[in-house]
Amino acid sequence: MNHSYIDKYADLDSPIHRIHPRIKIILFFGLVLCVTLTGRTAYLSFVIYGTVLFIIAVFSKIPLLAIFKKILAVIPFVVLIAVFIPFFNKENGWIVFSSIVIKACLSIFSMTLLTSVTKFTSLLKGIEGLKVPKIFIMIMSFMYRYLFLLIGELQRMQRAKESRTLLKTNNLNVIKTLSNIIGVLFVRSYERAERVYLAMCSRGFDGEIRTLDE
Amino acid sequence: MHIPDGFLAANTWVPAWIVSMGGLGYCIKRVSVFLKDKTVPLMGVMAAFIFAAQMLNFPVAAGTSGHLLGGVLAVVLLGPYAGAIVIAVVLAVQCLVFQDGGLTALGANIFNMSFIGAMGGYIIYNVIKNLIGGNKGIIIGTAAAAWASVVLASSACAVELAVSGTSPLRIALPAMALVHMLIGIGEAFISVVVVSFVLKTRPDLIYNNGEEAAYE
């Protein structure tokens, strides 16, 4: 299956990629924090943040077009929520609107860069170092491990459905069939989780996860 | 409904983070009492399931499409505490990897969707389920809770935007609530079909369904 959307550029080699994940996380999270806490009319600061992010992007050797495509994909959602602000806030509506869109874009730029230069597994390892409860990290790493498997399963079921439904039917039938697919996926995932757990138990799992690089 | 960064002021997202983290800590405590060391594999795979289910696009009308949010589905199948954790983990991964929802707004997004949406939905589901009883109660409860959870979560989102001074409450709240009253119908329909499928095939997997609960 195709899962290039996670970790596509995380295996490149650049000065930015080589920085310790925890430092990268602090750097990019810090940038997001700064962006959100900056005043609404501090346009000079926005320009500085944008330039810093742009320089990092150039040094990280990630195709800039790919990053901008990723930002562009998220922007419609941002504008959709923000678009009604100028109409109801007569005094400074456009200032609020533009500052929110700029802030959202800068934050997305920062987070996109972080996930493009850090592998998801090292991202989790780095977050763990920031005192996030271990149980969440373990759940997230499990989720990451099984996500591709379940998405693959879903895609296979969809393909099976499409190859059997040649005639055009109304939307209600399509929604019913797709909902049943989710039902099947749930039962299969649950049973898979039970098998995984039993397999872990038979290998001596006692609630503690140990990795080789500890 | 995933609030991006920049929409919430610090007077909103900081308290939302604190409340969400406290709530999640309590959920983990409650879940690990009966799941014990099964917590991690089960929650992890279920989070992957909700994530995958959200990727499935449903045709709506005039070429547009929507997807399942899955909050009530998660609590009906897994119970309120486990369901809330699963939704929170999905939101965290969406924020980190797909920039779907902001980092500073993650606390508020978890608060809206895990606690207001999923857990609030569970309370409604539970009341209706016990009132009517049987499979009929589960189905009707799921439908009402799924619809209400979407409306409640979006209203909470509107209140947070108003507290941050982003948009005035008297416009944002009705606008968000009205739009999501329509979206909620789709959510309710999908949740009902999924739950009735599970009722037919593995009724024991539905949380607190009779004596043969899966969690034992």
Side-chain angles (χ1 to χ4, degrees), chain A residues 167-206:
Chain A
L167 295 172
K168 236 182 152 43
T169 57
N170 61 339
N171 277 353
L172 199 68
N173 276 336
V174 178
I175 294 174
K176 263 188 202 158
T177 319
L178 289 175
S179 307
N180 281 329
I181 286 180
I182 294 183
V184 176
L185 186 69
F186 167 72
V187 173
R188 286 189 187 170
S189 316
Y190 199 101
E191 286 170 352
R192 185 188 292 276
E194 278 176 335
R195 284 198 307 277
V196 167
Y197 171 67
L198 291 176
M200 284 163 71
C201 285
S202 61
R203 286 163 179 77
F205 176 65
D206 56 355

Side-chain angles (χ1 to χ4, degrees), chain A residues 18-65:
Chain A
R18 280 194 294 268
I19 301 174
H20 191 274
R22 198 180 304 167
I23 297 169
K24 276 190 281 194
I25 289 169
I26 294 172
L27 173 74
F28 288 106
F29 280 18
L31 261 167
V32 173
L33 206 61
C34 290
V35 168
T36 28
L37 293 177
T38 306
R40 276 182 180 145
T41 48
Y43 295 112
L44 184 66
S45 323
F46 293 144
V47 173
I48 293 170
Y49 295 140
T51 319
V52 168
L53 285 169
F54 189 78
I55 291 169
I56 296 174
V58 171
F59 272 106
S60 66
K61 293 183 190 164
I62 295 163
L64 288 174
L65 203 66

Side-chain angles (χ1 to χ4, degrees), chain A residues 130-175:
Chain A
L130 299 175
K131 300 276 174 280
V132 173
K134 204 169 177 194
I135 191 146
F136 286 111
I137 305 289
M138 294 199 312
I139 294 175
M140 276 160 91
S141 56
F142 255 87
M143 176 191 177
Y144 179 70
R145 192 161 305 167
Y146 288 97
L147 185 60
F148 302 111
L149 218 61
L150 297 193
I151 292 175
E153 198 147 353
L154 190 68
Q155 286 174 341
R156 277 200 302 282
M157 280 194 271
Q158 263 185 295
R159 206 179 310 136
K161 177 212 135 229
E162 266 150 35
S163 57
R164 283 165 181 78
T165 47
L166 296 170
L167 295 172
K168 236 182 152 43
T169 57
N170 61 339
N171 277 353
L172 199 68
N173 276 336
V174 178
I175 294 174

Side-chain angles (χ1 to χ4, degrees), chain A residues 5-7 28-30 32-33 36-37 40 70 74 77-79 81-82 84-85 88-89 96 99-101 103-105 107-109 111-115 120 123-124 127 133 135-136 138-140 142-144 146-147 150-151 154-155 158 171-172 174-187 189-194 196-197 200-201 205-207 209, chain B residues 1-10 13 21 24-25 28 32 35 37-62 68 73 77-78 85 88-90 92-93 95-101 103-104 161 164-168 170-172 175-176 189-191 193-194 197-198 200-202 205-206 214-215:
Chain A
Y5 43 83
I6 289 187
D7 287 351
F28 288 106
F29 280 18
V32 173
L33 206 61
T36 28
L37 293 177
R40 276 182 180 145
K70 215 169 170 186
V74 189
F77 297 100
V78 176
V79 175
I81 309 176
F84 61 91
I85 297 167
F88 301 116
N89 194 339
V96 176
S99 79
I100 281 175
V101 173
K103 281 181 179 185
C105 291
S107 309
I108 290 164
F109 194 4
M111 293 297 283
T112 309
L113 266 181
L114 173 62
T115 43
F120 190 71
L123 195 66
L124 284 183
I127 297 174
I135 191 146
F136 286 111
M138 294 199 312
I139 294 175
M140 276 160 91
F142 255 87
M143 176 191 177
Y144 179 70
Y146 288 97
L147 185 60
L150 297 193
I151 292 175
L154 190 68
Q155 286 174 341
Q158 263 185 295
N171 277 353
L172 199 68
V174 178
I175 294 174
K176 263 188 202 158
T177 319
L178 289 175
S179 307
N180 281 329
I181 286 180
I182 294 183
V184 176
L185 186 69
F186 167 72
V187 173
S189 316
Y190 199 101
E191 286 170 352
R192 185 188 292 276
E194 278 176 335
V196 167
Y197 171 67
M200 284 163 71
C201 285
F205 176 65
D206 56 355
I209 289 186
Chain B
M1 243 194 304
H2 291 54
I3 308 174
D5 279 316
F7 280 68
L8 296 180
W13 65 257
M21 289 305 107
L24 282 179
I28 285 282
S32 35
L35 278 181
D37 52 356
K38 204 175 168 182
T39 310
V40 170
L42 187 65
M43 296 293 98
V45 177
M46 284 299 111
F49 157 69
I50 293 287
F51 194 105
Q54 288 187 349
M55 286 181 66
L56 201 56
N57 272 320
F58 288 82
V60 183
L68 182 77
L73 189 63
L77 297 172
L78 303 169
I85 295 168
V89 170
V90 170
V93 170
C95 159
L96 285 175
V97 182
F98 298 97
Q99 286 75 49
D100 200 357
L103 178 70
T104 54
L161 289 176
S164 300
T166 306
S167 51
R170 65 194 162 79
I171 291 140
M176 285 290 266
F189 185 78
I190 300 170
S191 303
V193 178
V194 176
F197 178 88
V198 178
K200 268 181 249 157
T201 48
R202 285 288 305 268
L205 290 191
I206 287 181
Y215 282 147

Side-chain angles (χ1 to χ4, degrees), chain B residues 1-212:
Chain B
M1 243 194 304
H2 291 54
I3 308 174
D5 279 316
F7 280 68
L8 296 180
N11 70 346
T12 319
W13 65 257
V14 173
W17 260 107
I18 295 168
V19 172
S20 296
M21 289 305 107
L24 282 179
Y26 180 72
C27 287
I28 285 282
K29 227 172 153 184
R30 290 294 298 260
V31 165
S32 35
V33 168
F34 56 88
L35 278 181
K36 298 192 182 73
D37 52 356
K38 204 175 168 182
T39 310
V40 170
L42 187 65
M43 296 293 98
V45 177
M46 284 299 111
F49 157 69
I50 293 287
F51 194 105
Q54 288 187 349
M55 286 181 66
L56 201 56
N57 272 320
F58 288 82
V60 183
T64 56
S65 64
H67 67 84
L68 182 77
L69 299 168
V72 164
L73 189 63
V75 289
V76 168
L77 297 172
L78 303 169
Y81 303 110
I85 295 168
V86 164
I87 296 294
V89 170
V90 170
L91 287 170
V93 170
Q94 281 174 337
C95 159
L96 285 175
V97 182
F98 298 97
Q99 286 75 49
D100 200 357
L103 178 70
T104 54
L106 180 61
N109 284 329
I110 290 177
F111 178 76
N112 294 345
M113 279 177 257
S114 281
F115 294 107
I116 303 284
M119 272 199 165
Y122 183 78
I123 295 170
I124 298 167
Y125 162 76
N126 210 24
V127 168
I128 297 177
K129 188 185 113 183
N130 292 335
L131 267 180
I132 302 175
N135 285 357
K136 210 172 149 195
I138 293 178
I139 297 291
I140 297 172
T142 305
W147 182 82
S149 79
V150 176
V151 177
L152 285 175
S154 63
S155 308
C157 174
V159 170
E160 283 150 16
L161 289 176
V163 173
S164 300
T166 306
S167 51
L169 189 64
R170 65 194 162 79
I171 291 140
L173 186 60
M176 285 290 266
L178 273 175
V179 171
H180 285 90
M181 276 175 188
L182 291 176
I183 295 175
I185 297 172
E187 174 82 8
F189 185 78
I190 300 170
S191 303
V192 162
V193 178
V194 176
V195 169
S196 39
F197 178 88
V198 178
L199 268 178
K200 268 181 249 157
T201 48
R202 285 288 305 268
D204 57 313
L205 290 191
I206 287 181
Y207 180 74
N208 242 349
N209 184 23
E211 288 123 63
E212 34 166 4

